[in-house]
Amino acid sequence: MKRVAVLGATGSIGKQALEIVDAHPELELVAAASGAQPIDGLAPLTQVGGDLAELLERAEPDIVLNAVVGFAGLGPTLWALEHGVTLALANKESLVAAGELALGARERGGGLLLPVDSEHSAALQCLEGRRLETVQSLVLTASGGPFRGRAREELSDVTPAEALAHPTWNMGPKITIDSATLANKGLELIEAHFLFGLEYERVEVVVQPTSVVHALVRFRDGAALAHLGYPDMRVPISYALTYPERAATPVAPLDLAGGLVLEFEPPDLETFPLLALARRAGEQGGTYPCAYNAANEVAVTAFVEGRLPFLGMPALVEETLAAVDGTPARDREELIEADAAARRLAEREVGALSRS
Ligand SMILES: NC(=O)c1ccc[n+]([C@@H]2O[C@H](COP(=O)([O-])OP(=O)(O)OC[C@H]3O[C@@H](n4cnc5c(N)ncnc54)[C@H](OP(=O)(O)O)[C@@H]3O)[C@@H](O)[C@H]2O)c1
């Protein structure tokens, strides 16, 4: 039996995770949490908002599925890593923001960190058991989002409703907007750097519009391994929850004979600057990735609330990154302060950008 805690249980990932737990008698749901929606009776222990570390202390899980959205997922990520409890991580924002602090906690705790992000789950499966020096690069794939192929000028008046219409994945609102701006791929680039210990120049991004190829790994001998499947988050969620068993899922096998066409193209870094900004923030290190994430969260909220135009989002993140000092955080308190400082700067910038 594996005792499972599902955090973010009312969300897109959380609900799919609950279905998977239900379908497997060897998985026992011991705790569930949401941010605001009521979840009474969903699990033996439930919590709405508040300090999730307390819930986890009481629940004593073997595995924590962190599917909280945003920096609010920091506490449970650090808790699981520090306690050596397996962390199934959907909440990429916490790893991006915490970076080295999270890796330090993982080293002390000695537990497993299993990505739930489909690209990173795919990458893990291609990389597992390989020596890093044999890897030339990891290639993360992106769908390109709903505005792929458009020029920058054509994006000045897109609405939140248009940005929320993702072509291939059905996901929560924040990550859907991030996919439309390519900030999601930016976060994933930083996430991959920390998960797999690869320098940024060894992480590439390529657009594959149907989201059938989730990641590729190029090796030094010219071979490349790829992970393919229909875009369905039940596969990586199930992989993490049942690791290393790889349990069956109801997802259909790829229809190859039906004529599977795979097309790739480079990402448009000029139209979608948030990808290049993430790479730069990652390379700068320190708390720059934390500031990138914080400013992006502020930008997404302001865009969804109609306080910022679509093109204001990258501008806001760029201005915020130029204003922060990026000093590395020595502990969780300093990290939380770096996040808060970036948010304050970003909020001020929302006002400035919406007036201009
Ligand atoms: N959706 C996907 O397909 C997908 C794919 C890859 C990675 N991810 C990542 O997975 C995470 C979740 O994404 P999602 O699409 O599932 O988001 P979502 O549908 O918006 O769900 C977010 C969940 O987080 C909960 N939450 C928010 N603030 C919280 C807090 N302070 N404490 C506890 N719970 C809180 C929400 O509870 P309430 O309902 O009460 O607000 C909800 O259950 C994100 O980091 C995202 O980047 C998602």
Side-chain angles (χ1 to χ4, degrees):
M1 287 297 275
K2 264 191 216 170
R3 296 166 59 82
V4 186
V6 176
L7 311 178
T10 46
S12 161
I13 294 286
K15 284 190 205 151
Q16 295 177 80
L18 292 177
E19 275 175 36
I20 289 163
V21 172
D22 254 1
H24 292 288
E26 70 280 12
L27 298 177
E28 181 191 3
L29 183 68
V30 293
S34 69
Q37 294 193 62
I39 48 167
D40 287 348
L42 191 64
L45 291 173
T46 58
Q47 189 172 306
V48 179
D51 181 358
L52 293 172
E54 271 174 32
L55 175 76
L56 294 172
E57 290 288 347
R58 282 190 290 142
E60 298 182 1
D62 299 311
I63 179 162
V64 174
L65 178 92
N66 187 354
V68 171
V69 61
F71 190 73
L74 178 72
T77 286
L78 292 181
W79 186 91
L81 293 174
E82 202 71 67
H83 286 76
V85 171
T86 299
L87 174 62
L89 185 67
N91 178 258
K92 64 192 91 186
E93 295 93 338
S94 55
L95 184 58
V96 167
E100 273 96 16
L101 281 185
L103 297 186
R106 174 169 72 167
E107 209 168 300
R108 287 189 296 277
L112 281 175
L113 168 49
L114 300 170
V116 169
D117 231 340
S118 58
E119 296 79 358
H120 303 72
S121 175
L124 172 70
Q125 292 171 57
C126 295
L127 282 167
E128 218 175 14
R130 324 271 168 197
R131 292 200 325 276
L132 270 195
E133 67 266 27
T134 67
V135 174
Q136 188 189 322
S137 66
L138 163 63
V139 186
L140 298 174
T141 52
S143 71
F147 306 131
R148 182 177 64 87
R150 293 211 202 170
R152 199 178 144 74
E153 315 77 78
E154 296 172 273
L155 297 179
S156 55
D157 55 2
V158 300
T159 63
E162 289 172 289
L164 284 166
H166 196 275
T168 54
W169 294 99
N170 183 11
M171 312 179 285
K174 195 257 173 180
I175 184 174
T176 306
I177 302 291
D178 284 348
S179 300
T181 62
L182 292 200
N184 183 46
K185 218 44 62 180
L187 292 168
E188 290 181 3
L189 178 67
I190 301 172
E191 181 187 10
H193 164 78
F194 288 121
L195 276 174
F196 304 117
L198 287 166
E199 311 84 343
Y200 285 98
E201 62 261 29
R202 281 205 283 169
V203 188
E204 302 173 56
V205 174
V206 71
V207 172
Q208 197 275 304
T210 56
S211 303
V212 165
V213 181
H214 301 127
L216 302 98
V217 176
R218 300 181 198 269
F219 292 91
R220 64 184 176 192
D221 60 357
L225 296 185
H227 180 291
L228 279 69
Y230 290 123
D232 190 319
M233 286 307 293
R234 289 176 298 179
V235 177
I237 298 170
S238 173
Y239 185 78
L241 289 181
T242 69
Y243 184 89
E245 305 302 327
R246 195 190 279 276
T249 76
V251 176
L254 273 184
D255 181 5
L256 300 172
L260 184 69
V261 178
L262 300 175
E263 286 174 322
F264 297 88
E265 61 191 47
D268 179 347
L269 299 178
E270 275 177 31
T271 306
F272 303 102
L274 278 164
L275 178 53
L277 285 170
R279 189 177 283 280
R280 200 192 311 150
E283 284 168 350
Q284 286 174 304
T287 47
Y288 281 106
C290 172
Y292 174 91
N293 177 67
N296 183 57
E297 287 190 29
V298 170
V300 171
T301 304
F303 171 65
V304 170
E305 291 174 354
R307 291 185 286 126
L308 193 68
F310 187 82
L311 293 176
M313 288 191 276
L316 177 82
V317 175
E318 186 167 17
E319 293 296 329
T320 306
L321 285 170
V324 297
D325 65 14
T327 309
R330 284 167 300 185
D331 54 31
R332 178 203 290 236
E333 285 63 41
E334 289 189 359
L335 183 71
I336 290 172
E337 183 40 43
D339 170 80
R343 278 171 204 270
R344 283 193 297 272
L345 284 165
E347 283 297 353
R348 225 175 291 155
E349 203 56 42
V350 173
L353 283 166
S354 53
R355 280 193 297 277
S356 64

